[in-house]
Amino acid sequence: MRLRLSTDSIRNASIERVEDLSGQALSSCYQCGRCSAGCPVVDEMDLIPNEVIRLLQFGQIKKVLRSKTIWICASCMQCSARCPKGVEFSSICDALRAMVLRMRLATPAVDAGNLSRVMVSKAPQMGVVSALRKLLNG
Amino acid sequence: MKIPYYPGCTLHERALDFDMASRECANALGVELEELPVWTCCGAVFPLTTDSVMDILAGVRNLAYASRMGDKVVTLCSFCYNVLKRSNKVIREDEEKREKANLFLKADTDERAEMESYLEQDYVGQVEVLHYIEMLRDVVGFDKVAKSLKTSLKGLRVAPYYGCMLLRPKKEMEFDDPERPTIFEDFLETLGCDVVDFPMKAECCGGFQIVRDEETAIACSQTVLSSAIKRDADLIITTCPLCLYNLDRKQKEMAKRVKGFTKIPVIYFTQLLGIALGIDEEHLDFSDNYVDPRPVLAGKKLV
Ligand code: SF4
Ligand code: SF4
């Protein structure tokens, strides 16, 4: 992927917001890829976890907020558990979802409004409530 | 001995079997799970962002209710456990959030609780959140559990599935080693089972993604199941109603998709404990399971 970078675009207000909301320092990531290696749903993602972080390190917030990845993440926290630098990608992912949902910064790449009715009527309550809160509420 | 108990929404509705089996086992071990007289949903997920105080209130309010009954609260659902434990840590460690949360709690009145404010003193994290398995180990004691057993589970090959929410994030949950947890293995050894170690025991079942995209979640669950099957497990135990749903109910879809798919029963850990304690099968209720565990159990002369 080719990116055109400038010093002002690398560190912008949205990137600082991601750091604040997630409580994570993006610059700590040294791109080892362990987060992506441990992710159970990585095959479904358009940007894998360490790519999301790399793009954020370069100030590319729009590309990240438009990605499917943030909606596909199952919040299993394995990426965070495996990171040798203590970066919690799952928290970054939560923050990115919240930014889209609260500030309408992008249209969700996955239609979370279209949750399966059958599942809602059958799945355990905590599964339904957590899906609603993670994907629709922010 | 009475211990305050927070069932959470799922054990109150769609996982009544889990609630019943767990209460029965506690009784058999001399513990009465005393349900909080007033409780609400914990919110099911810990707040997504660091700026959110509103989102920890549901968890904290339940902890405040529990603080009126004792210094501990026991729960079973891994999502409730995750939310309550992490919210408690926030209250203990973050002064600003603690103050804000207490302002909310004091302003709140609850008619059902028949009190103006349900809080006489500030909630500062005085309650210890315990998972039921921790209660068995630390309050009852695995040695006492061992002495109370009526039936030997020797020869039954059981794979303990931990999933995500009990273990992670480690520094907040402080439950067990997130890569190599052992508490359920110790529990199974107490019951005399043959413990099956399998590589996917702490991997994700797909979680809430089952509601958005069944395919994604089923693929995760299938990976977990086949890992246990490859190690010749007779059955899998869990403490999470969502894991059980994905791992058990979705075997119907897996069987349709994969030729020669081997089914494996998945049950709650207290249902297995119930068998070992000689509790009547009726009180353990396997009727909701898609893969009936009874043939496997009957094969070992356990039901
Ligand atoms: S595991 Fe940590 S350091 Fe490695 S790429 Fe992922 S976030 Fe970066
Ligand atoms: S939390 Fe999300 S991104 Fe991280 S490993 Fe789990 S599914 Fe993948």
Side-chain angles (χ1 to χ4, degrees):
Chain A
M1 187 186 306
R2 260 170 190 271
L3 295 175
R4 187 179 292 273
L5 303 175
S6 73
T7 38
D8 345 315
S9 68
I10 285 189
R11 193 128 190 112
N12 53 48
S14 302
I15 298 297
E16 278 168 17
R17 191 94 181 107
V18 175
E19 293 204 320
D20 278 353
L21 290 177
S22 66
Q24 305 303 308
L26 295 165
S27 58
S28 299
C29 165
Y30 59 9
Q31 289 292 304
C32 68
R34 283 192 70 182
C35 47
S36 306
C39 174
V41 291
V42 70
D43 292 350
E44 310 282 322
M45 293 174 167
D46 47 1
L47 294 172
I48 63 177
N50 67 296
E51 281 177 339
V52 169
I53 299 180
R54 195 59 171 157
L55 285 167
L56 292 172
Q57 287 174 335
F58 287 150
Q60 304 297 303
I61 188 76
K62 282 195 187 134
K63 283 199 173 59
V64 165
L65 292 181
R66 278 192 223 119
S67 78
K68 283 191 198 162
T69 298
I70 57 179
W71 308 101
I72 286 168
C73 164
S75 290
C76 73
M77 298 176 276
Q78 197 61 282
C79 46
S80 308
R82 300 261 164 91
C83 176
K85 297 282 288 175
V87 178
E88 296 181 356
F89 179 71
S90 50
S91 303
I92 295 172
C93 216
D94 276 347
L96 293 165
R97 272 195 279 235
M99 285 171 77
V100 174
L101 293 168
R102 285 186 198 171
M103 296 171 241
R104 307 272 177 258
L105 291 178
T107 312
V110 164
D111 186 5
N114 190 22
L115 298 176
S116 154
R117 274 172 183 274
V118 182
M119 268 343 146
V120 169
S121 66
K122 285 194 180 152
Q125 279 84 353
M126 21 73 88
V128 176
V129 173
S130 52
L132 296 175
R133 288 198 54 202
K134 289 272 184 182
L135 304 171
L136 290 172
N137 186 6
Chain B
M1 172 183 20
K2 285 186 179 180
I3 295 192
Y5 167 53
Y6 173 79
C9 313
T10 309
L11 275 86
H12 200 67
E13 283 267 339
R14 291 182 190 170
L16 283 169
D17 45 358
F18 191 19
D19 177 77
M20 180 166 64
S22 308
R23 286 180 197 256
E24 289 288 334
C25 292
N27 284 342
L29 294 165
V31 177
E32 188 189 333
L33 295 179
E34 198 178 5
E35 184 171 331
L36 305 187
V38 184
W39 55 268
T40 62
C41 171
C42 68
V45 290
F46 186 72
L48 275 65
T49 53
T50 53
D51 64 348
S52 173
V53 180
M54 238 6 226
D55 289 352
I56 59 164
L57 285 179
V60 175
R61 184 192 282 127
N62 288 306
L63 293 167
Y65 285 138
S67 72
R68 296 176 55 90
M69 294 173 66
D71 59 357
K72 294 186 184 66
V73 64
V74 168
T75 193
L76 282 145
C77 164
S78 356
F79 278 48
C80 297
Y81 178 65
N82 187 285
V83 170
L84 294 180
K85 192 134 179 199
R86 294 172 77 186
S87 308
N88 212 23
K89 197 170 168 73
V90 170
I91 292 295
R92 285 178 182 179
E93 291 174 6
D94 184 329
E95 201 182 325
E96 195 186 325
K97 285 189 179 160
R98 175 167 67 233
E99 276 173 22
K100 284 190 184 162
N102 275 291
L103 288 174
F104 275 107
L105 294 182
K106 284 201 189 105
D108 201 0
T109 54
D110 198 312
E111 286 163 14
R112 288 171 307 169
E114 290 178 353
M115 44 190 138
E116 286 221 336
S117 162
Y118 42 78
L119 213 56
E120 281 148 9
Q121 61 194 75
D122 273 10
Y123 185 72
V124 295
Q126 58 268 47
V127 169
E128 204 62 54
V129 180
L130 285 182
H131 190 271
Y132 189 103
I133 188 92
E134 293 174 305
M135 175 193 84
L136 290 180
R137 183 190 59 191
D138 305 335
V139 181
V140 178
F142 280 162
D143 49 344
K144 180 168 175 204
V145 175
K147 282 186 201 128
S148 315
L149 302 178
K150 301 274 184 309
T151 311
S152 165
L153 302 187
K154 204 167 169 359
L156 186 67
R157 292 181 57 79
V158 184
Y161 176 63
Y162 289 82
C164 310
M165 295 296 150
L166 294 177
L167 301 168
R168 299 189 283 271
K170 182 193 176 194
K171 60 180 190 292
E172 291 166 63
M173 298 310 291
E174 293 166 334
F175 177 79
D176 206 335
D177 184 317
E179 294 287 350
R180 296 193 177 278
T182 51
I183 187 168
F184 278 98
E185 279 80 349
D186 297 343
F187 163 76
L188 290 172
E189 273 168 17
T190 304
L191 301 192
C193 309
D194 291 355
V195 183
V196 178
D197 190 20
F198 67 117
M200 305 306 276
K201 67 182 177 186
E203 296 293 332
C204 181
C205 70
F208 65 84
Q209 288 289 358
I210 193 77
V211 185
R212 184 189 65 81
D213 175 20
E214 213 183 4
E215 298 294 324
T216 305
I218 287 180
C220 293
S221 279
Q222 199 165 348
T223 311
V224 171
L225 293 174
S226 45
S227 165
I229 291 167
K230 275 190 202 134
R231 295 281 170 109
D232 284 330
D234 292 323
L235 58 83
I236 298 174
I237 53 157
T238 178
T239 177
C240 178
L242 185 57
C243 296
L244 188 119
Y245 182 79
N246 289 348
L247 295 173
D248 172 61
R249 310 294 193 271
K250 295 297 145 194
Q251 287 189 47
K252 191 172 181 183
E253 272 74 23
M254 294 173 204
K256 272 187 223 152
R257 269 167 237 192
V258 185
K259 227 176 135 200
F261 175 77
T262 321
K263 290 183 187 155
I264 180 165
V266 186
I267 65 174
Y268 292 114
F269 75 105
T270 48
Q271 289 176 312
L272 186 68
L273 174 61
I275 292 168
L277 289 170
I279 290 168
D280 200 358
E281 194 193 306
E282 209 178 292
H283 293 130
L284 303 175
D285 189 9
F286 298 113
S287 60
D288 279 346
N289 288 62
Y290 168 68
V291 183
D292 191 343
R294 282 168 291 198
V296 166
L297 296 171
K300 311 273 176 193
K301 305 212 172 7
L302 294 170
V303 287

